[in-house]
Amino acid sequence: MLLSMPFFDECLRRYMKQATDVFNDWAHRGKDEGMERGHSPAVNEMLEVAFQRTNQENEPFSFADLGCGNGWVVRMVGGLENCIQADGYDGAPHMIEKAKNTDSKHGYHLALFPDMQPPQQYNLIHSMEFMYYLHEPQQMLQSIHDDWLAEGGWAVIGIDHYAEHEESLGWPEALDVHMSTFSEQEWITMWNDVGFTEIYAWRANQSEGKPGTLAIIGKKGQN
Ligand SMILES: C[S@@+](CC[C@H](N)C(=O)[O-])C[C@H]1O[C@@H](n2cnc3c(N)ncnc32)[C@H](O)[C@@H]1O
């Protein structure tokens, strides 16, 4: 009997670990701090590009980080003078607990995606190394565009697991966690399909022999 692909998908869903469980354990073991060090060069570049495009007038803006881990990006952006609100959302309880214990100024919320509906809309949404853990990242991207972003708002997202990054293709097996694998062009198409405008994609923190983070930015609203 031939077994269908959806059947295999369903089996994998059931037997692979949940990403939030893996990262909850990482938070207990202090591995969130290594992630922060590892991701910060790409994130700094992504935010630099975001601020060049989105906020040339230094206007007040609200910010949310989806899959925020221990909240380090929320604290960094929340510390900017014209950031009027910065919130982080993550599905790993210990990541959120750590974020709250370190910082009482900003909002940290335990939230499982894609089910979580936003309590409000934001001017800038950031996400680093989170989207591909979802089984249907396009659905999340649509929700970021439709539900999470205010009109005229921007999203900037970083992804290290993508088809052109060959080394990353072994990560699902190594971590025993589902990852949705798409090429650079497939991600860009997704951004177009859900309605983003002014889409720009580049490789952040790229150097010789290092493919870099696939970074994509886009706007909700007309060009
Ligand atoms: C690779 S870590 C990145 C954390 C942070 N963005 C950073 O750069 O340090 C991925 C994060 O996404 C969160 N995550 C993964 N799948 C999730 C889901 N379905 N709902 C909510 N959070 C999720 C994990 O708990 C984890 O903290």
Side-chain angles (χ1 to χ4, degrees):
M1 184 179 68
L2 277 177
L3 298 175
S4 67
M5 286 310 285
F7 174 81
F8 278 118
D9 282 351
E10 186 52 34
C11 288
L12 285 175
R13 258 174 224 240
R14 280 187 197 181
Y15 295 113
M16 290 183 107
K17 292 181 194 155
Q18 295 299 314
T20 46
D21 291 341
V22 170
F23 288 107
N24 198 48
D25 182 50
W26 279 33
H28 275 292
R29 293 197 278 144
K31 287 177 80 174
D32 52 308
E33 286 150 35
M35 241 179 352
E36 174 177 343
R37 280 191 297 277
H39 294 170
S40 63
V43 167
N44 287 336
E45 196 180 312
M46 283 158 52
L47 290 173
E48 208 177 299
V49 171
F51 291 131
Q52 274 164 13
R53 281 172 184 249
T54 62
N55 200 8
Q56 287 157 354
E57 311 300 329
N58 277 343
E59 282 170 8
F61 70 97
S62 55
F63 174 85
D65 188 13
L66 310 187
C68 66
N70 69 15
W72 62 278
V73 182
V74 175
R75 289 188 285 283
M76 189 165 73
V77 176
L80 298 175
E81 205 179 329
N82 52 337
C83 182
I84 51 170
Q85 186 183 355
D87 295 330
Y89 297 83
D90 199 283
H94 201 55
M95 287 286 187
I96 292 299
E97 203 180 305
K98 268 194 158 179
K100 285 183 173 171
N101 288 342
T102 322
D103 169 25
S104 56
K105 199 172 154 210
H106 304 107
Y108 297 99
H109 308 275
L110 185 61
L112 203 57
F113 296 112
D115 302 339
M116 169 80 193
Q117 281 303 306
Q120 65 171 84
Q121 293 188 316
Y122 295 88
N123 302 118
L124 179 59
I125 298 282
H126 165 274
S127 183
M128 176 63 179
E129 280 290 87
F130 150 65
M131 291 287 287
Y132 59 75
Y133 291 106
L134 301 175
H135 287 267
E136 293 181 45
Q138 176 155 351
Q139 190 189 347
M140 184 72 220
L141 204 56
Q142 187 77 66
S143 169
I144 291 174
H145 179 274
D146 296 352
D147 310 324
W148 286 83
L149 275 177
E151 194 60 32
W154 291 75
V156 62
I157 291 180
I159 296 157
D160 281 332
H161 173 81
Y162 53 94
E164 291 85 350
H165 182 188
E166 279 181 31
E167 197 195 308
S168 79
L169 302 181
W171 294 353
E173 204 182 325
L175 281 181
D176 191 22
V177 165
H178 166 82
M179 298 184 196
S180 295
T181 311
F182 296 100
S183 68
E184 188 163 354
Q185 190 50 56
E186 285 170 329
W187 277 107
I188 295 169
T189 302
M190 248 187 249
W191 281 66
N192 273 299
D193 288 349
V194 303
F196 278 103
T197 59
E198 299 193 39
I199 298 163
Y200 169 61
W202 79 104
R203 302 281 184 90
N205 192 33
Q206 188 178 33
S207 60
E208 206 174 315
K210 262 179 58 180
T213 295
L214 171 58
I216 311 182
I217 185 168
K219 183 182 176 187
K220 173 175 176 171
Q222 288 174 347
N223 286 352

